[in-house]
Amino acid sequence: MGIKVAKFGGSSLCDAEHFRKVKAIIESDPDYHYVVPSAPGKRFDDDEKITDLLYQCHRKVERGQSHEELFRKISDRYLEIAEALGLDFDIEGLLIDTSNAIRQYKNPDFAASRGEYLNGILLSKYLGWDFIDAKDVVKFDRQGSFASEWTNEIMADALKLHKKAVIPGFYGAYPNGDVHTFSRGGSDISGAIVARAAQADLYVNWTDVSGFLMADPRIVKNPKCIRELSYRELRELSYMGATVLHEDAIFPVHRAGIPTNIRNTNAPEDPGTMIVTHPSADRDRDQIITGIAGHKNFTLLSIEKAMMNAELGFGRRVLQALEDFGVSFEHLPTGIDTMSVVIADKELVTRKDQIIQRIQQTCQPDSIDISAGIALIATVGHGMTSAPGTAARLFTALYEAGVNIRMIDQGSSELNIIVGINIEDFETAMNAIYRAFVKD
Ligand code: ASP
């Protein structure tokens, strides 16, 4: 017997039929003790997410307009679910109170959080479990930064009092009790926080896909699902744009050594992706890479100066120029007399000329070359370190596909190889790398 914490995303709780699926999943395994729900998501492509409607309600209130008609849409969704499930409690009263409260709050977070709050109450009634309001157990400091240790203490104490409970995701409270939310998609973080405080054996993140895919399916056709992924690999892939889980949901469980299992509510028999601290010994040996992810819109700043390597403080002065203008960089590949800095375009928008000028002044380089329109692709996998010829395979694949490589960076973790290429080659390069390493 162990303890499992389940988080269900918005699409997994979008209507009564999905609530039924969720109940069947929870009741099929007595190890589930705590459930963290999102707000109801889209039921079909053009549908609206409850959270989006709630933000709209707040905007109306802010402009001094009535939000009642809009809130009706929200009420109807919850009433429909409650009625179809035969839930017998004063949901009408709860919805009226919620609507009135939204009118009184100045910050949008309170309104936004009500999607999870209401869904949490509904789900707790439906499962017959206790309800714990996240504002009492998830804490932020006065600046709005998540207070992890404080939260862990009070959450752990609260969980001890409830054998089975529902804790809504996405929000918590400032020290003064005012509601504050994580960024969008933040219920993943709440689930991880509950798993850590419960000292769970497993955090199961139920969503609408059967796990993490090896590449973006919009670019690579039918990519395989990743069976096992380490938290470090996940970090590399999500940093590069792969999305399934909120980035900040990694830290609480990784630190506590709790694995995360991504599962599909609509296909509960699929094993999904298991995210673990250390890669297991029986990983498929033929599968050298774990995944590929990429991002567009970077600028490559290439700085050249003869005898740069012997000049004390050169690198620091280049980076100081960026820091002085509040610009952060992504990568820093260096050569003997060259140094390149990769920067996201959005960071540079208004400050490019000033930064160049500052580097000219403080570093006096022989040349500075600026190339915009760069895309980065990270090929990630623990297996890459022990397999000779991985880099050769990757670069050969790009060469054969006619892709010109503008930059190479092998992270010191040896967990990834990042290549910079021209944006136009992005799709071709992703497919070439995928095909070079993954056999159907
Ligand atoms: N409901 C929130 C959102 O739409 C949080 C979440 O679903 O995780 O972003």
Side-chain angles (χ1 to χ4, degrees):
M1 281 267 290
I3 293 185
K4 290 182 187 167
V5 170
K7 178 259 168 179
F8 289 92
S11 52
S12 300
L13 287 164
C14 62
D15 58 16
E17 192 199 326
H18 280 84
F19 267 69
R20 288 196 190 96
K21 289 186 190 181
V22 165
K23 188 175 187 179
I25 288 169
I26 294 299
E27 291 186 343
S28 70
D29 187 345
D31 286 350
Y32 281 120
H33 283 260
Y34 304 107
V35 174
V36 176
S38 284
K42 291 183 179 191
R43 292 158 296 181
F44 40 87
D45 275 355
D46 298 335
D47 199 14
E48 285 163 303
K49 289 176 82 169
I50 292 289
T51 310
D52 292 331
L53 293 172
L54 285 161
Y55 277 117
Q56 287 174 35
C57 281
H58 174 75
R59 277 195 290 276
K60 285 213 175 261
V61 171
E62 223 176 15
R63 285 191 221 113
Q65 298 164 347
S66 165
H67 71 296
E68 266 157 39
E69 206 184 308
L70 198 54
F71 194 79
R72 196 75 333 255
K73 276 195 192 177
I74 297 170
S75 297
D76 286 349
R77 293 272 303 263
Y78 286 109
L79 287 169
E80 214 177 285
I81 296 173
E83 198 180 314
L85 300 178
L87 298 181
D88 185 21
F89 74 105
D90 183 15
I91 173 125
E92 302 256 8
L94 181 65
L95 289 164
I96 293 169
D97 290 349
T98 305
S99 174
N100 290 338
I102 287 175
R103 194 179 303 115
Q104 275 143 36
Y105 274 83
K106 297 242 172 332
N107 82 31
D109 290 16
F110 177 80
S113 73
R114 296 304 88 183
E116 272 70 13
Y117 172 78
L118 293 167
N119 230 18
I121 293 183
L122 250 67
L123 189 61
S124 69
K125 301 275 182 206
Y126 185 45
L127 295 175
W129 288 18
D130 297 343
F131 173 78
I132 303 176
D133 191 342
K135 86 172 171 32
D136 301 326
V137 285
V138 176
K139 295 292 172 188
F140 295 89
D141 65 19
R142 258 182 281 164
Q143 282 70 41
S145 299
F146 172 55
S148 63
E149 300 315 301
W150 183 22
T151 298
N152 196 46
E153 263 173 50
I154 47 177
M155 176 79 83
D157 287 346
L159 297 182
K160 281 188 200 119
L161 304 174
H162 304 270
K163 194 160 178 286
K164 303 254 170 173
V166 175
I167 307 109
F170 191 39
Y171 71 94
Y174 289 107
N176 70 0
D178 281 355
V179 165
H180 184 51
T181 63
F182 290 107
S183 56
R184 295 299 302 264
S187 298
D188 285 341
I189 312 171
S190 310
I193 292 166
V194 174
R196 178 185 172 205
Q199 297 184 315
D201 300 284
L202 186 64
Y203 170 34
V204 191
N205 194 297
W206 291 91
T207 176
D208 53 5
V209 288
S210 290
F212 229 95
L213 297 173
M214 289 190 75
D216 186 338
R218 289 166 301 187
I219 300 170
V220 174
K221 211 167 135 214
N222 289 330
K224 282 192 181 171
C225 184
I226 305 174
R227 286 278 152 260
E228 185 196 274
L229 186 68
S230 74
Y231 281 110
R232 283 176 63 207
E233 289 170 321
L234 172 65
R235 170 91 179 105
E236 306 265 353
L237 288 169
S238 29
Y239 169 77
M240 270 302 195
T243 53
V244 165
L245 203 59
H246 192 296
E247 258 197 295
D248 295 342
I250 300 174
F251 301 105
V253 272
H254 184 190
R255 214 178 333 146
I258 301 167
T260 300
N261 189 194
I262 310 279
R263 298 281 290 273
N264 188 347
T265 306
N266 300 312
E269 59 292 347
D270 289 353
T273 299
M274 191 64 97
I275 308 167
V276 294
T277 306
H278 302 291
S280 62
D282 59 355
R283 259 202 198 182
D284 185 354
R285 298 246 164 252
D286 297 334
Q287 198 63 71
I288 296 169
I289 68 158
T290 305
I292 309 165
H295 237 347
K296 290 180 179 172
N297 302 325
F298 292 92
T299 294
L300 187 63
L301 220 64
S302 303
I303 305 153
E304 205 175 327
K305 186 173 188 183
M307 301 304 287
M308 173 196 290
N309 60 333
E311 192 175 319
L312 202 62
F314 187 90
R316 183 188 54 74
R317 286 195 296 277
V318 171
L319 298 183
Q320 188 70 52
L322 298 178
E323 189 176 337
D324 288 348
F325 291 100
V327 167
S328 76
F329 68 94
E330 306 292 320
H331 299 281
L332 198 67
T334 54
I336 306 295
D337 285 334
T338 60
M339 177 172 168
S340 301
V341 194
V342 181
I343 304 166
D345 285 351
K346 63 176 186 325
E347 289 276 326
L348 278 179
V349 187
T350 53
R351 293 162 286 193
K352 192 162 77 192
D353 295 341
Q354 289 155 300
I355 291 170
I356 304 293
Q357 210 179 12
R358 178 68 60 85
I359 295 176
Q360 303 269 23
Q361 278 164 4
T362 58
C363 304
Q364 297 176 345
D366 297 335
S367 69
I368 304 184
D369 181 54
I370 305 159
S371 313
I374 299 287
L376 298 180
I377 298 182
T379 307
V380 176
H382 281 289
M384 289 166 67
T385 47
S386 52
T390 309
R393 202 147 142 190
L394 192 147
F395 299 132
T396 306
L398 292 176
Y399 163 72
E400 283 173 358
V403 174
N404 181 22
I405 303 173
R406 306 287 307 271
M407 180 217 83
I408 301 169
D409 191 7
Q410 174 163 19
S412 46
S413 61
E414 288 192 52
L415 202 66
N416 67 19
I417 297 178
I418 296 175
V419 290
I421 52 168
N422 294 331
I423 280 184
E424 323 64 276
D425 293 331
F426 187 65
E427 278 77 15
T428 312
M430 284 280 253
N431 277 289
I433 299 173
Y434 182 83
R435 300 285 160 224
F437 288 100
V438 186
K439 302 286 162 254
D440 286 331

